[in-house]
Amino acid sequence: DVKVTQSSRYLVKRTGEKVFLECVQDMDHENMFWYRQDPGLGLRLIYFSYDVKMKEKGDIPEGYSVSREKKERFSLILESASTNQTSMYLCASSPALGSGPYQETQYFGPGTRLLVL
Amino acid sequence: AQSVTQLDSQVPVFEEAPVELRCNYSSSVSVYLFWYVQYPNQGLQLLLKYLSGSTLVKGINGFEAEFNKSQTSFHLRKPSVHISDTAEYFCAVTEGATSGTYKYIFGTGTRLKVLA
């Protein structure tokens, strides 16, 4: 089974703090994604990465950055946390194009619920 | 630009009753369609997907969905729900691969509440 783990289930931070959210997948997937989930808004893509050290902005990248130094790990960074970044953050991974019947399927971690005070 | 609409934010239904969760999409090209489920305090897991072929797709836990191209819909159905089906359900669409991967657009979700 694909396993995507996220470093924390719950996190409480202060405004202005630098926040790191970590995600690790164990299925050698090329692609990794960070979403935020808010009530009534569904999931919105923040950033994704299609290879080590490669990244692309999603729909709502402002206030966030990412890092992918190793294939299995994808980090989301809030440079200076603000209260409007209080949300549920979901990480996902997917196999490479051409890899087979599951290439278009994304596999999700359990989420990190972040509260910024 | 593609978009996904889930008109029902909440759907209450009694146990053993049938349910339909609605999903409509907007796209000018062929799409792939997905339904994901999120149980309380968990991440999302794939219920079923439509890529091509038969328009009736069967998924896990007795769910099925029908792709209707003329109505641009992909409604999710189950003939008899259980308490354990209480969860949030998300419809998602992708127009195909860009930058080496498939990017999804998600709907806003439908909370299914199964009542005893």
Side-chain angles (χ1 to χ4, degrees):
Chain A
D1 273 354
V2 176
K3 192 156 186 185
V4 180
T5 56
Q6 296 183 227
S7 52
S8 306
R9 293 300 304 272
Y10 301 94
L11 213 49
V12 180
K13 296 292 180 182
R14 296 273 177 202
T15 302
E17 278 192 78
K18 191 168 186 176
V19 181
F20 292 86
L21 303 183
E22 305 285 339
C23 175
V24 176
Q25 50 95 3
D26 67 357
M27 279 302 291
D28 201 35
H29 283 172
E30 267 65 26
N31 307 300
M32 296 187 75
F33 308 81
W34 275 107
Y35 295 90
R36 64 177 282 175
Q37 180 182 6
D38 299 289
L41 297 177
L43 278 74
R44 294 177 291 165
L45 182 63
I46 305 172
Y47 267 97
F48 71 99
S49 168
Y50 51 90
D51 201 350
V52 175
K53 297 191 187 293
M54 305 302 287
K55 60 187 180 186
E56 274 199 26
K57 293 179 180 179
D59 300 316
I60 52 163
E62 296 78 19
Y64 304 94
S65 62
V66 290
S67 172
R68 193 166 180 203
E69 296 296 320
K70 293 186 177 181
K71 190 176 186 180
E72 68 272 17
R73 188 179 297 270
F74 191 35
S75 302
L76 180 69
I77 303 154
L78 287 66
E79 296 289 343
S80 177
S82 64
T83 54
N84 62 13
Q85 292 178 309
T86 290
S87 186
M88 167 76 101
Y89 290 88
L90 291 165
C91 175
S93 70
S94 70
L97 288 183
S99 62
Y102 299 101
Q103 61 180 353
E104 69 294 314
T105 300
Q106 292 188 14
Y107 299 85
F108 285 81
T112 295
R113 197 169 290 280
L114 172 66
L115 173 62
V116 182
L117 299 173
Chain B
Q2 55 184 322
S3 65
V4 178
T5 302
Q6 293 181 248
L7 285 173
D8 305 307
S9 59
Q10 295 189 69
V11 173
V13 62
F14 285 106
E15 193 174 20
E16 298 183 7
V19 70
E20 180 179 82
L21 306 184
R22 296 180 293 166
C23 173
N24 288 89
Y25 68 93
S26 170
S27 175
S28 58
V29 300
S30 295
V31 296
Y32 295 164
L33 294 153
F34 306 80
W35 275 101
Y36 279 80
V37 60
Q38 184 179 35
Y39 297 106
N41 298 315
Q42 295 186 27
L44 278 68
Q45 65 182 85
L46 182 68
L47 264 183
L48 49 78
K49 62 186 177 186
Y50 172 78
L51 305 180
S52 64
S54 172
T55 56
L56 184 62
V57 180
K58 294 191 183 298
I60 61 171
N61 301 339
F63 283 93
E64 64 181 31
E66 185 152 22
F67 170 58
N68 188 319
K69 189 174 181 179
S70 62
Q71 296 187 6
T72 60
S73 68
F74 190 55
H75 300 333
L76 181 71
R77 296 192 290 257
K78 186 169 182 178
S80 175
V81 295
H82 302 291
I83 296 287
S84 59
D85 293 322
T86 294
E88 189 156 20
Y89 293 79
F90 291 94
C91 182
V93 63
T94 180
E95 287 182 338
T98 58
S99 300
T101 186
Y102 294 90
K103 288 188 290 181
Y104 291 178
I105 298 295
F106 281 91
T108 52
T110 298
R111 286 192 181 276
L112 175 64
K113 174 76 172 173
V114 181
L115 309 167

